[in-house]
Amino acid sequence: MESSAAAIRRATPRLPGDTRRQTTRRKLFEAAVTLIAEQGFSSTTVDEIAERAGVAKGTVYYNFASKSVLFEELLRHGIELLSSSLQQAADETAARGGSRVDALDAMIRAGLAFIVRYPSLTQLYVAELWRTNRAWQSTLMQVRQQAISVIESVLREAVAGGELSKEIDIPLTASALFGMVLVAALDWQSFQPERSLEDVHAALSRLLQGRISGSPR
């Protein structure tokens, strides 16, 4: 499986206008997500992040005021990537003339694919959701809502178009879909790694079609 650092590098190509600072910050993101996933936030030191990134310790503080700020930005960056992946899946489905339920199904697959590309980042996100004493808790909730809002938008369109019942609780359903993908994917990666993405997506797709749309395929 591709490492989180390699995946971030591949998904964030260097652009002609990139500055040296942007390149350095990207290296620090890559180092931090790998180390914190391996050791935990408290056990990971700035020295280790700098060494893994191949930069001086002072460079970390030049780009980020503290380790906490670095981690907060790491979470924000990761969930923004996820939100973009979900929105792209929905837009591409709409462009092909698919239904809103088809768009939700495409978003489930996009979410699973994202977790395959960024397993360490996803593990960090899920772990941090359960902690309430972190300085970045409010930021975590904001970026979480950003991803869920993408799902809510498609659900609203589906209800407005008569594809889904008006009785659906849109905020709760969006949260449930988001959580379903996260938990199912982590369970898959941890305990059933022999299963393919297509296999896992098919199982979740049946849940979506049967429970939300009421018309299993």
Side-chain angles (χ1 to χ4, degrees):
M1 180 183 298
E2 184 178 24
S3 69
S4 294
I8 290 175
R9 262 196 310 274
R10 181 171 56 77
T12 313
R14 181 177 298 182
L15 301 176
D18 274 1
T19 65
R20 180 178 299 179
R21 187 180 184 194
Q22 288 172 324
T23 300
T24 299
R25 286 168 70 91
R26 188 160 51 244
K27 289 180 180 179
L28 291 171
F29 279 136
E30 294 167 6
V33 69
T34 303
L35 285 168
I36 294 172
E38 291 173 354
Q39 307 173 170
F41 176 78
S42 299
S43 299
T44 299
T45 67
V46 172
D47 284 340
E48 289 173 321
I49 293 173
E51 181 179 0
R52 181 69 66 92
V55 302
K57 180 178 179 180
T59 302
V60 180
Y61 291 116
Y62 176 75
N63 285 274
F64 303 97
S66 66
K67 185 175 71 169
S68 293
V69 171
L70 170 58
F71 188 59
E72 182 175 356
E73 290 301 316
L74 175 67
L75 289 172
R76 185 192 300 277
H77 178 66
I79 300 305
E80 286 176 350
L81 285 177
L82 173 58
S83 299
S84 295
S85 295
L86 298 178
Q87 187 64 63
Q88 181 179 352
D91 291 344
E92 289 177 352
T93 302
R96 293 194 300 268
S99 69
R100 295 295 180 252
V101 173
D102 289 334
L104 291 170
D105 185 57
M107 292 164 81
I108 286 176
R109 193 187 191 289
L112 291 171
F114 179 89
I115 293 168
V116 170
R117 289 197 301 270
Y118 304 101
S120 295
L121 186 62
T122 306
Q123 290 167 9
L124 285 175
Y125 171 78
V126 172
E128 290 303 314
L129 282 178
W130 296 100
R131 297 189 173 99
T132 58
N133 61 341
R134 300 297 203 194
W136 53 77
Q137 190 66 23
S138 62
T139 297
L140 185 61
M141 294 300 101
Q142 290 172 11
V143 294
R144 169 189 172 275
Q145 186 55 45
Q146 179 181 342
I148 290 177
S149 293
V150 177
I151 305 173
E152 288 181 350
S153 177
V154 175
L155 285 170
R156 288 194 180 92
E157 292 172 359
V159 170
E163 292 183 49
L164 300 179
S165 170
K166 293 182 179 179
E167 297 179 358
I168 285 181
D169 185 321
I170 291 176
L172 185 58
T173 300
S175 296
L177 287 172
F178 185 71
M180 176 184 74
V181 172
L182 284 178
V183 174
L186 290 176
D187 183 87
W188 160 39
Q189 294 290 290
S190 299
F191 304 111
Q192 305 177 68
E194 72 281 359
R195 300 184 70 167
S196 67
L197 187 152
E198 288 70 23
D199 185 28
V200 176
H201 171 232
L204 298 187
S205 180
R206 283 189 287 272
L207 282 175
L208 170 72
Q209 300 292 344
R211 298 302 181 184
I212 293 183
S213 70
S215 56
R217 292 180 176 176

